[in-house]
Amino acid sequence: MRRLHGVHLPHAKSTAAEPFQPLPVPEKVLIPMQMHIGTPASPIVKLRQSVTVGECIGTAEAQFSADIHASVSGTVTAITEYRPVKGEPCKAVEITTDGEQTPCPAITVPHYSSRAEFLTAVRHSGAVGMGGAGLPAHIKLNPKQKIEHLLVNAAECEPYITADDRIMQEKFALIIAGICRILEVLEIPSCIIGVEENKPEAIRTLRKAIGTRSQITVRTLPSVYPQGAEKVLIYHLTGRIVAPGQLPADAGVLVMNVTSVCFLEEYFTTGMPLVSRGITVDGSCIQEPCSLTVPIGTPIRNVLDFAGCDMERMARLISGGPMMGVCLPSAEYPVTKTTNAILALPEPESRPTTACIRCGRCIRTCPLRLMPTELEKAYQRRDAARLRRLRVDLCMLCGCCSYVCPANRPLAESNGLAKAFLRKEATR
Amino acid sequence: MKLLRIENTPHIRDVLTTQRIMLLVIASLMPAAVSSVVHFGWRAALLIGFCMVFSTACEGLCRILMKREQTIRDGSAALTGLLLALNLPVTLPLWEAGVGCFIAIVAVKQLFGGLGQNFANPAITARIMLMLSVTEDMTHWIRPGESYDAISSATPLSGGEASLADLFWGTNIGGCLGETSAAMLLLGAVFLLALGIISPAAPFSYIGTMALCTLISVLANGGDMIEIPYQLLSGGLLLGAFFMATDYVTTPITTTGRIVFGIGCGVLTFLIRTFGSYPEGVSFAILLMNILTPYIDRFTVSHPFGVKPQKGGAAK
């Protein structure tokens, strides 16, 4: 099997040996009603209502949605309009904390005796894909197709981020128990955990925790970005190809992020829904790069203050990794269910943009074998037919092409625009 | 509060830039350039320096006249000047070399839109133009150590005597500045291949095809096997294969396309050397294949992952 292409990035994983430490509970949290793909939840709390940790504060009638829970105990002080960096505006609940972190008295360990009950329990946990995608877990765990492999995505191929790595080093037992639970309930015969080779400690710990369970294997992946992209991961772990327009389940696999698996197991042992998560705080403007456990909704400013951030030098605040993360316009945005890292970076080095010199690096790096430079030219001409023929719709915006381009052309950005252009053309 | 910068992904970039690529290629040609000065004396240095400076000046002036942003800093004009100089005989009058630079930079490159837009290799086209217009000066070869006004001696390909060692080290043979020392060209080529600046696809398929064609010819006509290394080391083959057939702009963009390009160059070079009236065919072969490049590109479009091949090409 020929591996798909990609790029060797500087790892910069300086927090791989930094254990998670809890962030002090912030004074206020702002919890958006949409931290997942699908319909936003509707707030079910009133102004000045007091809430406890784990209490449901947002729920949706729609199946394709996820419940939202209070991450702190305190009082609801505002229900506001929230405008996320990406996506549609939604409501958000602001809670002023009382510092007690009283757990919700209604929380009980969930019990289930059937697959349907299991999925209902998952639905009430507020679980979503925590690697960044944010697909509600009860949707993902309910495939119609027969699944042969559960693939646990622990590639964590972006530089800096070590949130998954830390989870694997600290909560290996929960991860393995969670995998066993999912395999049993969904009747999946085997599980492969894919980890990039730059996490030897995590690989060792997981292998030890697996012991003699033959249905679970840990597979080492090369440290080539983007190993964690779903199609790439599936192909490298199983050799299966997810055709355009198909879901991983169509290829008989189910892919879950390792942190999501760990959270589900925690939920099934304690009953506490998704109210906090581990994040990496790094970047050259951060004085003390660290791994933190943060209540969902914590303003990023609190995280930066805790880790020590050179606000004068910081020019870019990124939620996620340096390849696919989004730039935040201010530090007032909250940590959400899908935030795996906060990076504070200085101004980028200035690089001249030149004409395309046709070096072909973008073509040779594209994991999906697209032709970014040709796509850029086609988009500049607004040539919808050629964009379709060259399959710009498959682009997953991993950014490899822009990264390697010596002419500094914004190829991935152009692909994003071209995809939007084609969608607009299709509806016209 | 200070405003934060909003930019599109990715937020980090590789260290390689267009300018660095050009400078690395120039650096890789330095062994060959220095060896030409050792073999042919000070005038080689003068010719190389003149072509690099004059090409850059042509590019700069052109950009000013065309009211486009200045591009001389990317180093591509200097590289073209260097490549052209290495394709000239040491005795060529400077004004003729200047005409060559003008053809390369203005006519072939800038009039088509500048970097990345030219369909033919500027240095090769300029060399061919000079070959056709000032043939006598362009074929006035002297051997290393001879005075610049010595009577022209034959190059190995035009019937001169040379041992393989002479060809490899560039001693005692006549030819263009950069054609004479295979060793120094190979040194530069290894440097570029190791850094991943050039891909091995085109040069290897080019040289391989050349070797294969010569082998067939030797077997068919009965000859000495020594003909094969002789063909590979002589003339501009190595210079052409590693430094011209790898030019990003004028060769196919995919690896498959580059292999097709190399094979085409090999066959054409062999045919011209064997049956043509010119002793050397590398320039013509590469130029002809440059012209075919858009067609090769068209038929070697890469195939997206997971998409089943469709007949007739056009997807819905």
Side-chain angles (χ1 to χ4, degrees):
Chain A
M1 183 181 91
R2 261 182 73 194
R3 286 188 186 279
L4 301 178
H5 296 283
V7 287
H8 292 271
L9 301 174
H11 301 315
K13 301 214 183 236
S14 52
T15 52
E18 297 288 331
F20 279 120
Q21 39 181 323
L23 181 79
V25 179
E27 280 168 35
K28 274 181 186 170
V29 294
L30 183 70
I31 305 178
M33 289 294 114
Q34 177 142 42
M35 298 185 273
H36 51 264
I37 304 174
T39 318
S42 319
I44 53 166
V45 286
K46 293 188 194 73
L47 214 54
R48 285 183 292 282
Q49 178 181 332
S50 65
V51 290
T52 47
V53 180
E55 189 176 332
C56 187
I57 57 169
T59 185
E61 289 301 310
Q63 175 68 13
F64 212 112
S65 183
D67 287 353
I68 311 283
H69 303 85
S71 58
V72 291
S73 62
T75 319
V76 176
T77 42
I79 297 173
T80 58
E81 276 296 312
Y82 173 75
R83 191 169 281 277
V85 180
K86 267 182 171 175
E88 299 289 310
C90 63
K91 292 260 187 292
V93 173
E94 186 194 83
I95 304 170
T96 304
T97 51
D98 58 13
E100 302 290 326
Q101 288 302 85
T102 324
C104 178
I107 285 176
T108 51
V109 176
H111 290 286
Y112 58 90
S113 54
S114 68
R115 187 163 158 173
E117 283 175 30
F118 171 78
L119 290 173
T120 311
V122 171
R123 176 154 193 193
H124 290 143
S125 73
V128 303
M130 292 167 79
L135 182 72
H138 63 278
I139 303 284
K140 176 159 269 182
L141 290 171
N142 192 18
K144 303 283 166 285
Q145 302 85 337
K146 189 172 160 38
I147 302 297
E148 286 157 70
H149 299 287
L150 168 68
L151 305 184
V152 175
N153 190 348
E156 203 165 51
C157 53
E158 286 238 28
Y160 294 107
I161 313 179
T162 59
D164 287 347
D165 189 3
R166 285 311 310 171
I167 285 271
M168 289 187 278
Q169 292 182 48
E170 293 176 28
K171 300 189 176 175
F172 46 87
L174 277 173
I175 294 169
I176 302 303
I179 290 170
C180 291
R181 185 187 297 274
I182 295 168
L183 292 184
E184 192 192 318
V185 177
L186 300 189
E187 292 165 359
I188 302 172
S190 92
C191 167
I192 309 171
I193 310 173
V195 193
E196 266 193 15
E197 65 196 350
N198 60 7
K199 293 177 260 299
E201 194 54 35
I203 295 168
R204 213 174 49 81
T205 327
L206 283 180
R207 288 212 167 117
K208 221 169 111 191
I210 289 169
T212 54
R213 295 179 183 86
S214 60
Q215 74 275 35
I216 309 175
T217 44
V218 177
R219 191 84 62 78
T220 308
L221 297 165
S223 295
V224 178
Y225 177 85
Q227 288 302 308
E230 200 165 59
K231 282 183 180 184
V232 177
L233 186 87
I234 293 170
Y235 185 64
H236 287 172
L237 289 182
T238 66
R240 296 178 186 211
I241 296 170
V242 180
Q246 286 199 319
L247 294 171
D250 294 316
V253 296
L254 196 150
V255 186
M256 278 193 90
N257 170 263
V258 67
T259 300
S260 311
V261 173
C262 182
F263 161 71
L264 277 181
E265 184 58 23
E266 248 174 334
Y267 168 69
F268 277 105
T269 46
T270 63
M272 181 57 80
L274 184 49
V275 294
S276 71
R277 68 158 296 152
I279 62 168
T280 300
V281 189
D282 205 342
S284 60
C285 299
I286 297 289
Q287 276 132 23
E288 282 170 48
C290 52
S291 312
L292 297 179
T293 311
V294 184
I296 304 290
T298 302
I300 286 163
R301 173 171 303 282
N302 290 55
V303 175
L304 294 181
D305 287 346
F306 183 84
C309 176
D310 184 345
M311 290 292 194
E312 280 307 304
R313 210 162 77 82
M314 177 177 79
R316 296 175 289 170
L317 180 60
I318 292 158
S319 163
M323 292 301 283
M324 291 188 79
V326 290
C327 276
L328 299 174
S330 90
E332 307 311 317
Y333 278 84
V335 170
T336 71
K337 289 178 183 177
T338 54
T339 308
N340 50 11
I342 299 292
L343 304 179
L345 301 178
E347 284 286 347
E349 262 178 75
S350 79
R351 279 168 64 103
T353 300
T354 72
C356 170
I357 52 172
R358 285 173 46 87
C359 67
R361 282 183 174 74
C362 54
I363 295 171
R364 274 173 284 139
T365 8
C366 180
L368 299 183
R369 297 199 289 261
L370 303 177
M371 302 182 86
T373 177
E374 295 296 319
L375 291 168
E376 190 198 22
K377 283 174 203 146
Y379 176 65
Q380 279 165 356
R381 294 194 306 268
R382 300 293 187 275
D383 184 343
R386 186 158 169 80
L387 287 171
R388 277 193 205 102
R389 198 160 56 239
L390 294 174
R391 298 308 301 256
V392 73
D393 58 306
L394 300 182
C395 174
M396 49 196 186
L397 304 176
C398 67
C400 288
C401 47
S402 298
Y403 178 81
V404 296
C405 182
N408 199 32
R409 304 204 66 80
L411 298 166
E413 184 180 336
S414 166
N415 280 357
L417 293 169
K419 286 171 74 164
F421 166 69
L422 281 192
R423 282 194 295 268
K424 221 171 94 188
E425 283 287 293
T427 55
R428 225 175 44 181
Chain B
M1 134 132 215
K2 194 175 112 186
L3 284 179
L4 290 171
R5 182 189 162 94
I6 303 293
E7 64 185 10
N8 225 303
T9 54
H11 308 290
I12 49 172
R13 296 293 161 106
D14 196 8
V15 290
L16 205 59
T17 61
T18 302
Q19 187 191 39
R20 284 195 184 132
I21 290 176
M22 299 299 166
L23 293 181
L24 285 171
V25 179
I26 290 175
S28 76
L29 284 164
M30 280 302 129
V34 170
S35 120
S36 76
V37 177
V38 171
H39 288 150
F40 295 112
W42 59 272
R43 205 174 184 287
L46 176 70
L47 195 59
I48 291 170
F50 173 77
C51 283
M52 289 177 75
V53 171
F54 193 68
S55 295
T56 309
C58 282
E59 169 126 341
L61 265 175
C62 226
R63 298 304 288 191
I64 292 170
L65 288 177
M66 297 194 305
K67 298 195 173 69
R68 298 290 174 97
E69 93 269 32
Q70 196 46 263
T71 52
I72 50 173
R73 286 172 61 92
D74 66 30
S76 62
L79 174 58
T80 300
L82 174 59
L83 279 171
L84 177 62
L86 293 179
N87 273 292
L88 302 175
V90 68
T91 51
L92 193 79
L94 282 190
W95 74 269
E96 291 179 10
V99 171
C101 295
F102 181 84
I103 294 169
I105 298 296
V106 180
V108 183
K109 186 177 165 196
Q110 290 300 336
L111 289 187
F112 283 91
L115 183 67
Q117 305 299 320
N118 48 297
F119 71 92
N121 187 312
I124 283 197
T125 318
R127 176 191 146 89
I128 289 173
M129 293 291 288
L130 289 176
M131 269 304 266
L132 298 177
S133 43
V134 286
T135 316
E136 203 161 303
D137 289 342
M138 279 295 284
T139 52
H140 181 252
W141 315 115
I142 60 163
R143 287 167 193 257
E146 284 179 343
S147 75
Y148 295 134
D149 47 14
I151 299 164
S152 177
S153 53
T155 70
L157 280 174
S158 62
E161 298 280 309
S163 72
L164 279 181
D166 283 341
L167 285 174
F168 191 72
W169 296 110
T171 46
N172 205 29
I173 52 165
C176 296
L177 294 187
E179 283 181 358
T180 53
S181 172
M184 295 300 130
L185 288 173
L186 286 173
L187 189 67
V190 168
F191 173 73
L192 290 185
L193 286 169
L195 286 181
I197 301 291
I198 60 172
S199 105
F204 283 24
S205 59
Y206 188 172
I207 294 167
T209 308
M210 219 18 228
L212 192 68
C213 288
T214 314
L215 176 70
I216 294 169
S217 142
V218 167
L219 290 179
N221 303 328
D224 200 337
M225 281 298 171
I226 198 142
E227 181 69 10
I228 298 173
Y230 201 79
Q231 281 289 340
L232 299 189
L233 291 177
S234 61
L237 184 69
L238 293 177
L239 182 64
F242 285 105
F243 298 95
M244 311 283 214
T246 54
D247 173 39
Y248 295 147
V249 177
T250 56
T251 64
I253 202 160
T254 63
T255 303
T256 324
R258 287 172 180 173
I259 293 170
V260 173
F261 183 92
I263 294 172
C265 285
V267 171
L268 286 172
T269 306
F270 175 77
L271 290 177
I272 296 171
R273 278 189 183 178
T274 315
F275 303 107
S277 56
Y278 282 90
E280 172 57 311
V282 171
S283 315
F284 287 108
I286 295 177
L287 179 64
L288 284 168
M289 291 310 289
N290 283 165
I291 295 169
L292 288 180
T293 292
Y295 302 97
I296 299 174
D297 269 341
R298 208 159 153 183
F299 291 105
T300 51
V301 172
S302 78
H303 196 73
F305 175 72
V307 179
K308 291 208 174 69
Q310 282 172 334
K311 284 190 178 158
K316 64 172 166 103

